[in-house]
Amino acid sequence: VNVDVKLGVNKFHVDEGHPHIILADNPNINEFRKLLNACPANLYKQDAQGNIHFDCAGCLECGTCRVLCGESILEHWDYPAGTFGVDYRYG
Ligand code: SF4
């Protein structure tokens, strides 16, 4: 079983309107690119036109983006409130 399949069985409770991670207005693009491969949930993306995309739904709360890039790309990073966030099914 590959990682994508295993990640697919996790459940996420999204706190609509209160994202726990918010990108900075002008994220440093070189820093952002580090996360194209580093985010284990593959939530940081860049399309063929070079536009960057991020959606915090599906976040595994690992903290990699915060440690790797911090304020160079992030306006806000916190754990989801209360019962929101990832619900691991494996381990
Ligand atoms: Fe991706 Fe981890 Fe950052 Fe969540 S905390 S967006 S899974 S790198």
Side-chain angles (χ1 to χ4, degrees):
V1 179
N2 69 28
V3 173
D4 286 343
V5 171
K6 285 191 171 180
L7 287 175
V9 301
N10 292 325
K11 278 186 67 178
F12 300 94
H13 307 277
V14 180
D15 192 356
E16 298 290 351
H18 299 95
H20 69 286
I21 300 174
I22 300 173
L23 278 190
D25 282 342
N26 291 304
N28 180 307
I29 190 67
N30 291 325
E31 292 291 303
F32 186 93
R33 284 204 190 101
K34 291 181 187 173
L35 296 171
L36 299 178
N37 293 319
C39 172
N42 196 25
L43 300 179
Y44 293 87
K45 296 183 175 140
Q46 189 169 28
D47 62 26
Q49 287 72 42
N51 301 311
I52 60 175
H53 304 275
F54 172 72
D55 182 356
C56 69
C59 173
L60 301 171
E61 302 166 27
C62 69
T64 300
C65 54
R66 184 183 193 180
V67 172
L68 215 55
C69 301
E71 292 177 355
S72 65
I73 68 151
L74 299 172
E75 178 185 313
H76 176 79
W77 194 106
D78 204 351
Y79 289 104
T83 57
F84 294 107
V86 64
D87 187 358
Y88 284 102
R89 295 298 181 86
Y90 277 93

